[in-house]
PDB file of all heavy atoms in Angstrom:
ATOM      1  N   MET A  88      61.526  39.868  10.106  1.00 95.00           N
ATOM      2  CA  MET A  88      60.456  38.977   9.655  1.00 95.00           C
ATOM      3  C   MET A  88      59.973  39.362   8.255  1.00 95.00           C
ATOM      4  O   MET A  88      59.841  38.514   7.380  1.00 95.00           O
ATOM      5  CB  MET A  88      59.280  39.018  10.634  1.00 95.00           C
ATOM      6  CG  MET A  88      58.119  38.132  10.223  1.00 95.00           C
ATOM      7  SD  MET A  88      56.602  38.467  11.127  1.00 95.00           S
ATOM      8  CE  MET A  88      56.149  40.075  10.515  1.00 95.00           C
ATOM      9  N   VAL A  89      59.733  40.656   8.039  1.00 95.00           N
ATOM     10  CA  VAL A  89      59.158  41.125   6.779  1.00 95.00           C
ATOM     11  C   VAL A  89      60.090  40.874   5.586  1.00 95.00           C
ATOM     12  O   VAL A  89      59.630  40.542   4.499  1.00 95.00           O
ATOM     13  CB  VAL A  89      58.777  42.627   6.880  1.00 95.00           C
ATOM     14  CG1 VAL A  89      58.461  43.225   5.527  1.00 95.00           C
ATOM     15  CG2 VAL A  89      57.601  42.794   7.826  1.00 95.00           C
ATOM     16  N   ILE A  90      61.390  41.007   5.797  1.00 95.00           N
ATOM     17  CA  ILE A  90      62.309  40.832   4.659  1.00 95.00           C
ATOM     18  C   ILE A  90      62.792  39.389   4.506  1.00 95.00           C
ATOM     19  O   ILE A  90      63.695  39.125   3.719  1.00 95.00           O
ATOM     20  CB  ILE A  90      63.497  41.814   4.704  1.00 95.00           C
ATOM     21  CG1 ILE A  90      64.377  41.579   5.926  1.00 95.00           C
ATOM     22  CG2 ILE A  90      63.017  43.236   4.630  1.00 95.00           C
ATOM     23  CD1 ILE A  90      65.635  42.443   5.953  1.00 95.00           C
ATOM     24  N   GLY A  91      62.180  38.479   5.237  1.00 89.00           N
ATOM     25  CA  GLY A  91      62.455  37.069   4.994  1.00 89.00           C
ATOM     26  C   GLY A  91      63.256  36.353   6.051  1.00 89.00           C
ATOM     27  O   GLY A  91      63.860  35.323   5.755  1.00 89.00           O
ATOM     28  N   GLY A  92      63.267  36.856   7.263  1.00 85.00           N
ATOM     29  CA  GLY A  92      63.958  36.149   8.343  1.00 85.00           C
ATOM     30  C   GLY A  92      63.399  34.745   8.505  1.00 85.00           C
ATOM     31  O   GLY A  92      62.203  34.513   8.347  1.00 85.00           O
ATOM     32  N   GLN A  93      64.258  33.820   8.835  1.00 87.00           N
ATOM     33  CA  GLN A  93      63.904  32.404   8.812  1.00 87.00           C
ATOM     34  C   GLN A  93      62.986  31.937   9.932  1.00 87.00           C
ATOM     35  O   GLN A  93      62.462  30.832   9.864  1.00 87.00           O
ATOM     36  CB  GLN A  93      65.179  31.566   8.808  1.00 87.00           C
ATOM     37  CG  GLN A  93      66.043  31.779  10.033  1.00 87.00           C
ATOM     38  CD  GLN A  93      67.490  31.437   9.756  1.00 87.00           C
ATOM     39  OE1 GLN A  93      68.018  31.750   8.708  1.00 87.00           O
ATOM     40  NE2 GLN A  93      68.113  30.766  10.695  1.00 87.00           N
ATOM     41  N   TRP A  94      62.755  32.757  10.958  1.00 87.00           N
ATOM     42  CA  TRP A  94      61.931  32.299  12.068  1.00 87.00           C
ATOM     43  C   TRP A  94      60.502  32.839  11.999  1.00 87.00           C
ATOM     44  O   TRP A  94      59.710  32.603  12.895  1.00 87.00           O
ATOM     45  CB  TRP A  94      62.582  32.659  13.404  1.00 87.00           C
ATOM     46  CG  TRP A  94      63.829  31.868  13.616  1.00 87.00           C
ATOM     47  CD1 TRP A  94      63.915  30.551  13.972  1.00 87.00           C
ATOM     48  CD2 TRP A  94      65.168  32.316  13.445  1.00 87.00           C
ATOM     49  NE1 TRP A  94      65.229  30.159  14.035  1.00 87.00           N
ATOM     50  CE2 TRP A  94      66.016  31.232  13.718  1.00 87.00           C
ATOM     51  CE3 TRP A  94      65.738  33.541  13.090  1.00 87.00           C
ATOM     52  CZ2 TRP A  94      67.398  31.319  13.641  1.00 87.00           C
ATOM     53  CZ3 TRP A  94      67.114  33.624  13.013  1.00 87.00           C
ATOM     54  CH2 TRP A  94      67.928  32.527  13.293  1.00 87.00           C
ATOM     55  N   GLY A  95      60.168  33.566  10.967  1.00 89.00           N
ATOM     56  CA  GLY A  95      58.808  34.033  10.767  1.00 89.00           C
ATOM     57  C   GLY A  95      58.286  34.905  11.897  1.00 89.00           C
ATOM     58  O   GLY A  95      59.016  35.698  12.484  1.00 89.00           O
ATOM     59  N   ALA A  96      57.008  34.732  12.219  1.00 92.00           N
ATOM     60  CA  ALA A  96      56.343  35.600  13.206  1.00 92.00           C
ATOM     61  C   ALA A  96      56.882  35.430  14.617  1.00 92.00           C
ATOM     62  O   ALA A  96      56.765  36.344  15.433  1.00 92.00           O
ATOM     63  CB  ALA A  96      54.840  35.345  13.186  1.00 92.00           C
ATOM     64  N   THR A  97      57.511  34.289  14.918  1.00 93.00           N
ATOM     65  CA  THR A  97      58.078  34.137  16.260  1.00 93.00           C
ATOM     66  C   THR A  97      59.186  35.149  16.508  1.00 93.00           C
ATOM     67  O   THR A  97      59.503  35.459  17.658  1.00 93.00           O
ATOM     68  CB  THR A  97      58.628  32.713  16.506  1.00 93.00           C
ATOM     69  OG1 THR A  97      59.640  32.435  15.549  1.00 93.00           O
ATOM     70  CG2 THR A  97      57.531  31.672  16.454  1.00 93.00           C
ATOM     71  N   THR A  98      59.755  35.680  15.433  1.00 94.00           N
ATOM     72  CA  THR A  98      60.794  36.705  15.560  1.00 94.00           C
ATOM     73  C   THR A  98      60.259  37.927  16.291  1.00 94.00           C
ATOM     74  O   THR A  98      60.953  38.515  17.124  1.00 94.00           O
ATOM     75  CB  THR A  98      61.304  37.130  14.161  1.00 94.00           C
ATOM     76  OG1 THR A  98      61.699  35.964  13.450  1.00 94.00           O
ATOM     77  CG2 THR A  98      62.469  38.073  14.250  1.00 94.00           C
ATOM     78  N   VAL A  99      59.026  38.315  15.992  1.00 96.00           N
ATOM     79  CA  VAL A  99      58.436  39.498  16.625  1.00 96.00           C
ATOM     80  C   VAL A  99      58.218  39.249  18.108  1.00 96.00           C
ATOM     81  O   VAL A  99      58.525  40.113  18.943  1.00 96.00           O
ATOM     82  CB  VAL A  99      57.125  39.912  15.916  1.00 96.00           C
ATOM     83  CG1 VAL A  99      56.499  41.117  16.603  1.00 96.00           C
ATOM     84  CG2 VAL A  99      57.382  40.211  14.443  1.00 96.00           C
ATOM     85  N   LEU A 100      57.724  38.074  18.458  1.00 95.00           N
ATOM     86  CA  LEU A 100      57.548  37.731  19.868  1.00 95.00           C
ATOM     87  C   LEU A 100      58.900  37.752  20.585  1.00 95.00           C
ATOM     88  O   LEU A 100      59.029  38.310  21.678  1.00 95.00           O
ATOM     89  CB  LEU A 100      56.899  36.348  20.004  1.00 95.00           C
ATOM     90  CG  LEU A 100      56.758  35.822  21.433  1.00 95.00           C
ATOM     91  CD1 LEU A 100      55.846  36.721  22.260  1.00 95.00           C
ATOM     92  CD2 LEU A 100      56.254  34.387  21.417  1.00 95.00           C
ATOM     93  N   SER A 101      59.906  37.174  19.955  1.00 94.00           N
ATOM     94  CA  SER A 101      61.256  37.180  20.545  1.00 94.00           C
ATOM     95  C   SER A 101      61.767  38.601  20.729  1.00 94.00           C
ATOM     96  O   SER A 101      62.322  38.933  21.779  1.00 94.00           O
ATOM     97  CB  SER A 101      62.225  36.398  19.658  1.00 94.00           C
ATOM     98  OG  SER A 101      61.883  35.047  19.605  1.00 94.00           O
ATOM     99  N   GLY A 102      61.591  39.445  19.718  1.00 96.00           N
ATOM    100  CA  GLY A 102      62.048  40.837  19.811  1.00 96.00           C
ATOM    101  C   GLY A 102      61.373  41.587  20.951  1.00 96.00           C
ATOM    102  O   GLY A 102      62.020  42.341  21.682  1.00 96.00           O
ATOM    103  N   LEU A 103      60.092  41.374  21.105  1.00 97.00           N
ATOM    104  CA  LEU A 103      59.342  42.021  22.184  1.00 97.00           C
ATOM    105  C   LEU A 103      59.865  41.581  23.559  1.00 97.00           C
ATOM    106  O   LEU A 103      60.130  42.412  24.432  1.00 97.00           O
ATOM    107  CB  LEU A 103      57.853  41.687  22.039  1.00 97.00           C
ATOM    108  CG  LEU A 103      56.897  42.321  23.022  1.00 97.00           C
ATOM    109  CD1 LEU A 103      56.877  43.834  22.852  1.00 97.00           C
ATOM    110  CD2 LEU A 103      55.496  41.764  22.813  1.00 97.00           C
ATOM    111  N   ILE A 104      60.053  40.276  23.729  1.00 97.00           N
ATOM    112  CA  ILE A 104      60.557  39.745  25.001  1.00 97.00           C
ATOM    113  C   ILE A 104      61.986  40.228  25.256  1.00 97.00           C
ATOM    114  O   ILE A 104      62.323  40.667  26.356  1.00 97.00           O
ATOM    115  CB  ILE A 104      60.487  38.199  25.012  1.00 97.00           C
ATOM    116  CG1 ILE A 104      59.038  37.739  25.018  1.00 97.00           C
ATOM    117  CG2 ILE A 104      61.252  37.628  26.202  1.00 97.00           C
ATOM    118  CD1 ILE A 104      58.855  36.251  24.757  1.00 97.00           C
ATOM    119  N   GLN A 105      62.830  40.171  24.240  1.00 96.00           N
ATOM    120  CA  GLN A 105      64.227  40.569  24.402  1.00 96.00           C
ATOM    121  C   GLN A 105      64.364  42.053  24.712  1.00 96.00           C
ATOM    122  O   GLN A 105      65.172  42.450  25.558  1.00 96.00           O
ATOM    123  CB  GLN A 105      65.020  40.208  23.140  1.00 96.00           C
ATOM    124  CG  GLN A 105      65.149  38.714  22.943  1.00 96.00           C
ATOM    125  CD  GLN A 105      65.496  38.316  21.523  1.00 96.00           C
ATOM    126  OE1 GLN A 105      65.670  39.165  20.643  1.00 96.00           O
ATOM    127  NE2 GLN A 105      65.594  37.023  21.281  1.00 96.00           N
ATOM    128  N   GLY A 106      63.574  42.873  24.052  1.00 97.00           N
ATOM    129  CA  GLY A 106      63.609  44.308  24.343  1.00 97.00           C
ATOM    130  C   GLY A 106      63.148  44.607  25.761  1.00 97.00           C
ATOM    131  O   GLY A 106      63.761  45.402  26.478  1.00 97.00           O
ATOM    132  N   ALA A 107      62.068  43.942  26.186  1.00 97.00           N
ATOM    133  CA  ALA A 107      61.528  44.174  27.534  1.00 97.00           C
ATOM    134  C   ALA A 107      62.492  43.695  28.612  1.00 97.00           C
ATOM    135  O   ALA A 107      62.727  44.396  29.607  1.00 97.00           O
ATOM    136  CB  ALA A 107      60.178  43.478  27.683  1.00 97.00           C
ATOM    137  N   THR A 108      63.080  42.527  28.421  1.00 98.00           N
ATOM    138  CA  THR A 108      63.998  42.015  29.438  1.00 98.00           C
ATOM    139  C   THR A 108      65.297  42.812  29.474  1.00 98.00           C
ATOM    140  O   THR A 108      65.906  42.959  30.533  1.00 98.00           O
ATOM    141  CB  THR A 108      64.285  40.514  29.231  1.00 98.00           C
ATOM    142  OG1 THR A 108      64.713  40.289  27.883  1.00 98.00           O
ATOM    143  CG2 THR A 108      63.053  39.680  29.527  1.00 98.00           C
ATOM    144  N   ASN A 109      65.706  43.370  28.355  1.00 97.00           N
ATOM    145  CA  ASN A 109      66.906  44.207  28.319  1.00 97.00           C
ATOM    146  C   ASN A 109      66.708  45.480  29.132  1.00 97.00           C
ATOM    147  O   ASN A 109      67.648  46.006  29.725  1.00 97.00           O
ATOM    148  CB  ASN A 109      67.260  44.558  26.874  1.00 97.00           C
ATOM    149  CG  ASN A 109      68.749  44.610  26.640  1.00 97.00           C
ATOM    150  OD1 ASN A 109      69.488  45.131  27.474  1.00 97.00           O
ATOM    151  ND2 ASN A 109      69.178  44.073  25.535  1.00 97.00           N
ATOM    152  N   GLU A 110      65.485  45.953  29.175  1.00 97.00           N
ATOM    153  CA  GLU A 110      65.203  47.193  29.918  1.00 97.00           C
ATOM    154  C   GLU A 110      65.267  46.994  31.427  1.00 97.00           C
ATOM    155  O   GLU A 110      65.329  47.969  32.172  1.00 97.00           O
ATOM    156  CB  GLU A 110      63.839  47.758  29.506  1.00 97.00           C
ATOM    157  CG  GLU A 110      63.875  48.276  28.084  1.00 97.00           C
ATOM    158  CD  GLU A 110      63.026  49.504  27.858  1.00 97.00           C
ATOM    159  OE1 GLU A 110      62.778  50.270  28.813  1.00 97.00           O
ATOM    160  OE2 GLU A 110      62.629  49.709  26.703  1.00 97.00           O
TER     161      GLU A 110
END
Side-chain angles (χ1 to χ4, degrees):
M88 179 194 69
V89 168
I90 64 175
Q93 61 204 41
W94 292 284
T97 59
T98 307
V99 178
L100 175 63
S101 295
L103 183 65
I104 292 169
Q105 292 161 1
T108 53
N109 216 318
E110 291 215 26

